[in-house]
Amino acid sequence: MRRSRFAIIGTALALALGGGPGGTALAPPAATAAAASQQSVQASMAVLQVGDDAIIQHYEQLGGSASFLGTPVGSAYDIAGGRAQDYTAGTIYWSPGTGAREVHGAIRGHYLALGGPAGFFGFPLTDEAATPGGGGAYNDFARGTIYWSPGTGAHEVHGAIRGHYLALGGPAGFFGFPLTDETATPGGAYNDFARGTIYWSPGTGAHEVHGAIRGHYLALGGPAGFFGFPLTDETATPGGGAYNDFARGTIYWSPGTGAHEVHGAIRARYLELGGPAGLLGFPVTDESGAPDGAGRYNHFSGTNAGSSIYWSPATGAHEVYGAIRAQWAALGWERSRLGYPTSGEYGITGGRRNDFQHGSILWHAASGRTEVVYTSVPSALLGVDLERIPTIQKVVALTFDAGANDAALRSILATLAASGVPGTFFLTGDWVNQFPSDAALIYNAGHRIGNHSMTHPDFTALTDAQIAAEISSAQRTIEAAGGDPLPFLRFPFGARNSRTIADVNAAGYAAIRWTVDTLGWEGTMNGTRGPDFIVQRVMASAQPGEIVLMHLGANPDDGSTLDAAALPQVISQLRAAGYGFVTLDAALG
């Protein structure tokens, strides 16, 4: 009786496994080496026959010689533990673990270039199949996939990058077909796709980068540059933008700002402030070196006047924005006398404030003006009670002490405003507490404020600790009203000595005396003095850098306010003599 081919194969496999038709051993334990060798050959022949039969069966399923594969070329052959049969238009591969699968066209060409089944990818797991959504084809292999489209050719994707690519939709998703094979990069690997790139490293996993963020990332060196590998896919932000986090920073993008990076301490502060969804908006620069060579900055899109975060080793990272930033920029940024910011912008009574290394900028909501307060005391002002601004220019500083009442304050402010003249007002803390809205009138009108102590005592009769308490109490009181008296202090009664001057300097203040006291505070002296007396005293002492002492309030005996009455003539006669007007900030150099 003729036995079928499959029966023969079954017998061969049984023989290869050492059993007879009934499952009993065909040879005794002492079988010769020749018998064992014969069994091995029989087993190999059985596997060969199974593979060949599977290839033939799959070929027939695909349509045989009428199929796209065409006719056989030569005979089946061994390859990498399996079998293969070439055809005029492709190859069918078989292995015990994968079965018989065909590979043809450009995918087959690339597969062979990568080593075929003996290479990294092993045997195919699928026939070539159309990709979802059309437009191309693919074959899955034991360790990856080769994709093909007319516009991109054939390229392989494998491992974690392949897993992420499929999670993102594969070729039917946003990224389309691969443009490269997986390619090594220092520390990891990547595949480029039609609309982006997926990067992988052992420490970060696989993440995609695309569009303008990818373009900027590559311009910054890609994974081999400072930023390293991506930690996220591109992610949408509020405000219509997007970002990718990387190992050492973030790249943000919006339609209006483009793509820019933020990293380090500036990035940390930016995120504390809400990132692109916060008041700073999107970055409009990469982190850049400050012109002074010591610090770094990023500019951002937020607020009408722009926004920035500046960093230096001495100050850390702090934001500056709006009108305060505009004022700081006008002064020269970090190269100005103020230096770098030491705080972010914060609220004060009636406005906002930023502190800097050598001062502050205050913004007053009622007037919309900014006030620059310098807190550093030049060495030339240490140890002295300044009687004249050191200058050869014909300028005068009008100063006003307030410690009694606020009579004539509004008259004085009106005269200064009408004349376009700035002044410096020395306030006691008690006066500020008594007239809490008056400090705002002064600084909103554009004038400078100084410290005149808390309670107006004779400093020479106080201990060092008492002097420090008088100064600090007044400073806190004025700051609570929204102003800042630093770095100018005037001694009550003008009483001072070397010890008290040193105490004032230790508190961060320069002691400011006067060139001329108008004596308006003495009143009319029984009708013997009037405004002309004030004008004559000022003009008699006129000189470059003259500091004029005047007072707020009325004389307690006759109720006169001679300084306020004389002020229009003081200003007009000084101008006629060629003098201009400054605040005491001019003394800081």
Side-chain angles (χ1 to χ4, degrees):
M1 180 179 69
R2 183 181 178 187
R3 302 175 67 188
S4 72
R5 181 171 59 190
F6 294 106
I8 295 171
I9 293 171
T11 301
L13 287 172
L15 291 171
L17 295 172
T24 58
L26 298 180
T32 65
S37 175
Q38 182 180 9
Q39 288 182 354
S40 176
V41 170
Q42 289 172 334
S44 296
M45 291 176 61
V47 171
L48 179 151
Q49 189 63 57
V50 169
D52 288 357
D53 284 351
I55 288 173
I56 292 170
Q57 183 179 10
H58 195 54
Y59 177 57
E60 290 172 351
Q61 289 172 344
L62 294 172
S65 59
S67 71
F68 63 88
L69 287 175
T71 58
V73 176
S75 301
Y77 52 91
D78 288 329
I79 186 166
R83 297 285 286 173
Q85 172 67 58
D86 292 332
Y87 299 88
T88 54
T91 300
I92 295 178
Y93 295 94
W94 173 90
S95 78
T98 59
R101 309 292 180 190
E102 67 81 14
V103 188
H104 69 272
I107 291 179
R108 175 178 176 271
H110 198 53
Y111 177 53
L112 293 175
L114 293 170
F120 172 81
F121 285 87
F123 283 86
L125 301 180
T126 66
D127 294 341
E128 181 174 306
T131 55
Y138 72 95
N139 277 81
D140 286 335
F141 297 88
R143 298 187 188 90
T145 301
I146 297 176
Y147 294 93
W148 170 88
S149 79
T152 60
H155 300 286
E156 63 81 12
V157 189
H158 68 269
I161 291 179
R162 174 180 176 270
H164 198 54
Y165 176 54
L166 292 176
L168 294 170
F174 172 81
F175 285 86
F177 286 86
L179 301 180
T180 67
D181 293 346
E182 181 171 305
T183 304
T185 186
Y190 71 92
N191 276 80
D192 286 335
F193 296 88
R195 298 185 188 90
T197 300
I198 297 177
Y199 294 92
W200 170 87
S201 79
T204 60
H207 300 286
E208 63 81 12
V209 189
H210 69 269
I213 291 178
R214 174 180 175 271
H216 198 53
Y217 176 53
L218 293 175
L220 294 169
F226 172 81
F227 286 86
F229 286 86
L231 301 180
T232 67
D233 293 347
E234 182 171 306
T235 305
T237 66
Y243 72 93
N244 276 81
D245 285 334
F246 297 88
R248 298 185 190 90
T250 301
I251 297 177
Y252 293 91
W253 170 88
S254 78
T257 60
H260 299 284
E261 63 81 11
V262 188
H263 68 271
I266 291 179
R267 174 179 176 270
R269 181 59 179 160
Y270 178 54
L271 293 176
E272 287 176 1
L273 294 169
L279 57 88
L280 297 187
F282 286 88
V284 296
T285 68
D286 292 347
E287 182 174 306
S288 305
D292 74 342
R296 310 282 293 174
Y297 70 90
N298 276 83
H299 292 324
F300 299 88
S301 64
T303 80
N304 292 335
S307 55
S308 303
I309 296 177
Y310 273 77
W311 171 91
S312 78
T315 59
H318 301 286
E319 76 280 3
V320 187
Y321 56 86
I324 290 178
R325 176 180 179 268
Q327 178 65 69
W328 187 47
L331 294 171
W333 302 97
E334 80 287 346
R335 291 186 291 181
S336 70
R337 190 190 306 168
L338 287 173
Y340 282 90
T342 57
S343 78
E345 184 175 302
Y346 59 94
I348 60 173
T349 300
R352 307 283 294 173
R353 174 175 178 150
N354 265 87
D355 296 326
F356 297 84
Q357 287 175 297
H358 307 297
S360 300
I361 299 177
L362 288 66
W363 174 78
H364 303 294
S367 61
R369 67 172 286 263
T370 56
E371 178 184 2
V372 180
V373 177
Y374 295 105
T375 55
S376 59
V377 179
S379 59
L381 298 185
L382 298 177
V384 300
D385 191 14
L386 190 70
E387 297 181 358
R388 186 184 69 85
I389 296 172
T391 182
I392 61 173
Q393 295 182 350
K394 295 185 72 174
V395 293
V396 172
L398 299 180
T399 69
F400 303 86
D401 285 2
N405 56 63
D406 71 342
L409 170 62
R410 285 153 182 79
S411 172
I412 289 171
L413 291 177
T415 299
L416 295 175
S419 304
V421 172
T424 303
F425 289 73
F426 286 92
L427 312 180
T428 67
D430 282 348
W431 188 90
V432 173
N433 283 335
Q434 186 178 0
F435 307 103
S437 63
D438 283 355
L441 290 178
I442 293 169
Y443 55 65
N444 283 336
H447 305 297
R448 194 65 160 86
I449 290 177
N451 192 325
H452 199 31
S453 80
M454 186 67 195
T455 64
H456 205 269
D458 182 341
F459 273 29
T460 62
L462 302 181
T463 66
D464 293 341
Q466 289 171 327
I467 291 172
E470 280 285 333
I471 295 171
S472 62
S473 295
Q475 179 174 320
R476 288 194 300 270
T477 301
I478 295 170
E479 287 177 343
D484 191 324
L486 281 166
F488 303 119
L489 182 139
R490 177 165 282 158
F491 287 105
F493 311 108
R496 86 286 194 205
N497 56 32
S498 59
R499 177 182 68 88
T500 59
I501 293 173
D503 285 343
V504 167
N505 293 159
Y509 284 87
I512 305 296
R513 198 167 178 79
W514 53 83
T515 310
V516 58
D517 180 352
T518 65
L519 301 180
W521 57 275
E522 292 183 347
T524 64
M525 300 297 285
N526 296 317
T528 61
R529 294 178 184 174
D532 289 345
F533 173 81
I534 307 299
V535 176
Q536 290 168 7
R537 285 185 62 81
V538 172
M539 296 309 297
S541 299
Q543 58 186 292
E546 179 185 25
I547 300 173
V548 179
L549 169 59
M550 308 178 89
H551 283 78
L552 303 181
N555 179 273
D557 298 322
D558 59 25
S560 63
T561 54
L562 292 185
D563 283 331
L567 185 58
Q569 281 300 309
V570 168
I571 292 172
S572 63
Q573 290 199 28
L574 283 170
R575 276 190 170 146
Y579 286 91
F581 297 90
V582 295
T583 68
L584 287 174
D585 285 314
L588 299 176

